[in-house]
C-alpha cells in the first residue's frame, strides 16, 4: 500500500493531564506540534494543564471527555482534524485493578476500543500507545528486549495493557494503513525542571518514588521496603527508573517514526540500568540532603525481583536514548515535592 507523507499536524493526547501526559505535551509543543488534550480528570487536575500552558507560554485546547463515552469522543473528532493520537488515558493502580477488575477492563479496554473505532470512522490511523514493561510478566531473561514473551502479567491492570497491545496488533494486520507505535515504559520518575509539574498521586502513593518523596518532606513517617530477600545485589527489588522528561522526548521520537508511515512498531523506553529500592532511597536522601527513614516490610504480592530494559531498539530505530541519570531524577523529584508539598492542590509553586 503506497503511504503518503504525513504533515506534522494536530496531535490528540488522551490522558494529557496526567504525569507522563503533561510532560509529553510540553515536549510535543517544544517540537512544533499543535496539541489538543482530552482527559476525564478522574486522576488528574486542571491545575496541571494550567502549569503546562505557563511553561509553554501557549493556550492548549482541553476537553473534559471520558473515553467510555463514545459519542462525546465522536463529537470531538468532528470539531478537530487530528493527524495522530497519543493514548495515555487509563487507570493504572495495580492494587486497585485487583479489587475492581471490571472497572479496569471497561475503562482501559472499552475506552481504547471506542477511541480506535472513532479514529477509524474519521480516517485517523496514526497512534502511539502508552504500554508498560508489566506486559512481560516475570522476566525469563534480563535485560528485557522487545522479543521477550508478553502476557505473563498477573494483575488486571497489566492484563489490560497486554490485551490492548494484542488488539492493536490484530488491527494493524487487518488494515495496513494503520501506523501504531507501542511504547513499553519501565518506571517513570522525576519531574519537569521548573518544579511546576510532577507526579501527584491521589491518596497513598502506590509507587516507590512519590512515596519516598512524601516521607522525605515529612508528609509520611517512613518507607516500607517491600522485602529484602529477593535474589538481587542487596535483596531489594531492582527496577529500570527513567526520567519522565526522557520518556516524554521518547514520544516525540515515536511521533516522528509514525510520520515515516512505519506500520506496527514496539519499543522499550527505559535506561537499561537497574537500581534497587535501597539505591533509590539513598539517591533521594542525597538530593534531599537528609536521611529518608525506612523499615523492611513483607514482600508485596505480585512483585518481581528484577526488571530492566535493553533499550537498543529505540536507540537504533527512533534515534532516542535516555540521558538523565539517577541524581537528576531525584533532584528534579525533590524540587517538585518541596515546591508543591500538596501536589497540584498546593496554591501554586512556592519559590
Ligand atoms: C518499585 C519497587 C517495589 C513501593 C508498577 C507497575 C508498572 C508501572 C509502575 C504504573 C518494587 C518497591 C514500592 C513502596 C517498596 N505502572 N516498593 N515500597 O511495581 O515496578 O511497577 O508501577 O504506573 O506498570 O507495574 O513500581 O514503584 O510500585 O515499585 O519497596 O512503598 O519499589 O517492591 O521493587 P513497579 P513501584
Amino acid at each position: 500500500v503506497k503511504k503518503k507523507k504525513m504533515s506534522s499536524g494536530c496531535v490528540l493526547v488522551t490522558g494529557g493531564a496526567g504525569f507522563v501526559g503533561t510532560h509529553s505535551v510540553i515536549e510535543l509543543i517544544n517540537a512544533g506540534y499543535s496539541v489538543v488534550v482530552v482527559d476525564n480528570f478522574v486522576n488528574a487536575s486542571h491545575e496541571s494543564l494550567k502549569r503546562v500552558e505557563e511553561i509553554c507560554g501557549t493556550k492548549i485546547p482541553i476537553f473534559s471527555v471520558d473515553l467510555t463515552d463514545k459519542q462525546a469522543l465522536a463529537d470531538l473528532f468532528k470539531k478537530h482534524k487530528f493527524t495522530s493520537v497519543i493514548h495515555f488515558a487509563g487507570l493504572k493502580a495495580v492494587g486497585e485493578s485487583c479489587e475492581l477488575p471490571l472497572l479496569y477492563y471497561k475503562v482501559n479496554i472499552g475506552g481504547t476500543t471506542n477511541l480506535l473505532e472513532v479514529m477509524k470512522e474519521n480516517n485517523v490511523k496514526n497512534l502511539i500507545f502508552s504500554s508498560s514493561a508489566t506486559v512481560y510478566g516475570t522476566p525469563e531473561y534480563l535485560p528485557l528486549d522487545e522479543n521477550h514473551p508478553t502476557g505473563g502479567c498477573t494483575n488486571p491492570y497489566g492484563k489490560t495493557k497486554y490485551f490492548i497491545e494484542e488488539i492493536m496488533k490484530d488491527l494493524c494486520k487487518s488494515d495496513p494503513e494503520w501506523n501504531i507505535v507501542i511504547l513499553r515504559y519501565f518506571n517513570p520518575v522525576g519531574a519537569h525542571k521548573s518544579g511546576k509539574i510532577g507526579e501527584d498521586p491521589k491518596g497513598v502513593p502506590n509507587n516507590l518514588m512519590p512515596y519516598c518523596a512524601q516521607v522525605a518532606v515529612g508528609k509520611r513517617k517512613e518507607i516500607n521496603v517491600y522485602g529484602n530477600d529477593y535474589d538481587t545485589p542487596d535483596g531489594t527489588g531492582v527496577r529500570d527508573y527513567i526520567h519522565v522528561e526522557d520518556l516524554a522526548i521518547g514520544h516525540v521520537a515515536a511521533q516522528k517514526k509514525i510520520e515515516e508511515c512505519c506500520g506496527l512498531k514496539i519499543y522499550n523506553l527505559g535506561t537499561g540500568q537497574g537500581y534497587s529500592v535501597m539505591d533509590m532511597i539513598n539517591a533521594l536522601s542525597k538530593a534531599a540532603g537528609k536521611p529518608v527513614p525506612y523499615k523492611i516490610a513483607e514482600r508485596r504480592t505480585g512483585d518481581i525481583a528484577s526488571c530492566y530494559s535493553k533499550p537498543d531498539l529505540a536507540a537504533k530505530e527512533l534515534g532516542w536514548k535516555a540521558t538523565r541519570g539517577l541524581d537528576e531524577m531525584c533532584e528534579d523529584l525533590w524540587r517538585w515535592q518541596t515546591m508543591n508539598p500538596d501536589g497540584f492542590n498546593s496554591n501554586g509553586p512556592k519559590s
Side-chain angles (χ1 to χ4, degrees), residues 289-300:
K290 59 175 127 176
V292 182
Y294 68 90
K295 77 173 185 340
I296 304 300
E298 283 306 300
R299 289 185 175 195
R300 179 171 63 179

Side-chain angles (χ1 to χ4, degrees), residues 39-102:
D39 204 300
N40 66 4
F41 295 98
V42 160
N43 273 337
S45 79
H46 292 268
E47 177 63 21
S48 71
L49 289 170
K50 283 202 188 80
R51 296 190 190 179
V52 169
E53 290 180 324
E54 266 171 45
I55 291 166
C56 298
T58 176
K59 278 299 284 168
I60 299 166
I62 298 160
F63 297 90
S64 182
V65 168
D66 193 310
L67 300 192
T68 55
D69 178 351
K70 187 177 173 185
Q71 190 51 56
L73 195 53
D75 294 346
L76 181 64
F77 272 72
K78 293 282 168 281
K79 284 199 194 101
H80 287 266
K81 177 80 193 94
F82 299 121
T83 46
S84 73
V85 176
I86 303 185
H87 180 33
F88 294 104
L91 299 173
K92 51 158 270 184
V94 171
E96 184 184 54
S97 78
C98 299
E99 289 152 35
L100 302 170
L102 272 186

Side-chain angles (χ1 to χ4, degrees), residues 2-3 37 72 78 94 105 120 126 138 147-148 198 202 209 324:
K2 185 88 186 74
K3 302 190 179 207
V37 167
K78 293 282 168 281
V94 171
Y105 289 124
K120 184 174 182 299
N126 298 310
T138 303
N147 300 320
H148 186 284
K202 285 193 168 165
M209 291 314 280
R324 293 159 178 82

Side-chain angles (χ1 to χ4, degrees), residues 18-213:
F19 177 41
V20 183
T22 46
H23 289 81
S24 299
V25 164
I26 292 168
E27 296 306 331
L28 285 161
I29 290 172
N30 288 348
Y33 290 95
S34 58
V35 169
V36 169
V37 167
V38 66
D39 204 300
N40 66 4
F41 295 98
V42 160
N43 273 337
S45 79
H46 292 268
E47 177 63 21
S48 71
L49 289 170
K50 283 202 188 80
R51 296 190 190 179
V52 169
E53 290 180 324
E54 266 171 45
I55 291 166
C56 298
T58 176
K59 278 299 284 168
I60 299 166
I62 298 160
F63 297 90
S64 182
V65 168
D66 193 310
L67 300 192
T68 55
D69 178 351
K70 187 177 173 185
Q71 190 51 56
L73 195 53
D75 294 346
L76 181 64
F77 272 72
K78 293 282 168 281
K79 284 199 194 101
H80 287 266
K81 177 80 193 94
F82 299 121
T83 46
S84 73
V85 176
I86 303 185
H87 180 33
F88 294 104
L91 299 173
K92 51 158 270 184
V94 171
E96 184 184 54
S97 78
C98 299
E99 289 152 35
L100 302 170
L102 272 186
L103 175 68
Y104 271 67
Y105 289 124
K106 181 179 143 215
V107 170
N108 290 6
I109 297 179
T112 300
T113 50
N114 279 348
L115 175 65
L116 293 172
E117 285 169 359
V118 170
M119 286 176 71
K120 184 174 182 299
E121 286 152 15
N122 291 274
N123 201 30
V124 178
K125 297 185 174 181
N126 298 310
L127 176 71
I128 294 168
F129 175 57
S130 163
S131 189
S132 165
T134 202
V135 302
Y136 292 121
T138 303
E140 290 167 17
Y141 58 80
L142 287 169
L144 288 163
D145 61 27
E146 290 82 354
N147 300 320
H148 186 284
T150 57
C153 28
T154 53
N155 60 78
Y157 156 76
K159 286 180 190 174
T160 65
K161 292 297 184 183
Y162 169 66
F163 292 148
I164 292 168
E165 286 197 4
E166 292 304 301
I167 290 167
M168 291 178 176
K169 289 177 189 172
D170 288 342
L171 180 58
C172 287
K173 273 192 212 122
S174 75
D175 175 357
E177 282 190 7
W178 281 87
N179 301 298
I180 298 183
V181 174
I182 292 172
L183 299 176
R184 291 173 181 161
Y185 307 163
F186 281 71
N187 289 61
V189 295
H192 189 261
K193 286 270 163 311
S194 64
K196 288 175 181 255
I197 61 170
E199 190 169 9
D200 182 24
K202 285 193 168 165
V204 180
N206 299 308
N207 294 132
L208 176 66
M209 291 314 280
Y211 198 105
C212 279

